[in-house]
Amino acid sequence: LKPFENSQRLEVPGLPAGVNVSKDLRPLKPGNDSYTIESDYQRGPVKLEVLLPKDYDAKKKYKVLYTLPVNVGVNGPWGCALEELQRRDVHNKHQLICVAPAYDIDPWLGDMPARPANGKPWIRQQSYLREVVIPFIEQRYSTPAAGS
């Protein structure tokens, strides 16, 4: 995965220092919004996929469903959450923004204690979701928390 290849770099104020986001010009799944995020929270660039309702209107507020991965990346041997949600038309039936963040190693879905050698957390998946993914979605899309 090469960061910012076939993508448009975005200016996203309010995210932690060192976080770089680009909108992929060729999304992994046609019809999804796809982003590449590079930060100190992951060891390399990772994908963030977003599925919007068919009639998405930025003037309306949408609830957000965050799907947490069970494997590295967006797709894997146990399937893709956004594909299943799309197949069942959940995003349209319930007027939801569906979000699938990816992690660079098998999901732990938490933060691991610091490594003694450098004092930095070994895994920062919970912090990545809380400090990068959720604020980005709330800033980029029309959600109840947007603008608050």
Side-chain angles (χ1 to χ4, degrees), residues 78-147:
W78 295 286
C80 173
L82 286 191
E83 281 181 8
E84 186 63 23
L85 292 170
Q86 190 169 26
R87 187 176 70 76
R88 294 175 183 268
D89 203 33
V90 169
H91 59 303
N92 290 316
K93 287 178 185 173
H94 300 283
Q95 292 293 288
L96 294 171
I97 297 171
C98 300
V99 178
Y103 295 122
D104 64 333
I105 60 172
D106 285 331
W108 187 264
L109 308 177
D111 291 350
M112 289 285 286
R115 283 187 174 173
N118 64 15
K120 293 184 179 181
W122 185 55
I123 296 176
R124 298 180 68 192
Q125 295 175 347
Q126 179 181 0
S127 295
Y128 174 69
L129 183 67
R130 188 180 65 242
E131 297 171 22
V132 177
V133 174
I134 292 172
F136 173 71
I137 294 298
E138 290 175 350
Q139 184 178 13
R140 185 94 176 149
Y141 297 97
S142 186
T143 71

Side-chain angles (χ1 to χ4, degrees), residues 32-95:
N32 288 0
D33 286 352
S34 182
Y35 301 92
T36 300
I37 300 178
E38 192 173 41
S39 73
D40 291 338
Y41 292 81
Q42 301 292 299
R43 294 180 191 151
V46 292
K47 293 292 184 183
L48 176 70
E49 295 288 308
V50 180
L51 176 62
L52 299 172
K54 176 174 46 179
D55 57 351
Y56 178 80
D57 177 357
K59 295 176 191 148
K60 180 180 170 186
K61 299 289 185 186
Y62 295 86
K63 292 182 180 178
V64 183
L65 174 63
Y66 292 92
T67 63
L68 298 178
V70 294
N71 42 248
V72 174
V74 177
N75 297 312
W78 295 286
C80 173
L82 286 191
E83 281 181 8
E84 186 63 23
L85 292 170
Q86 190 169 26
R87 187 176 70 76
R88 294 175 183 268
D89 203 33
V90 169
H91 59 303
N92 290 316
K93 287 178 185 173
H94 300 283
Q95 292 293 288

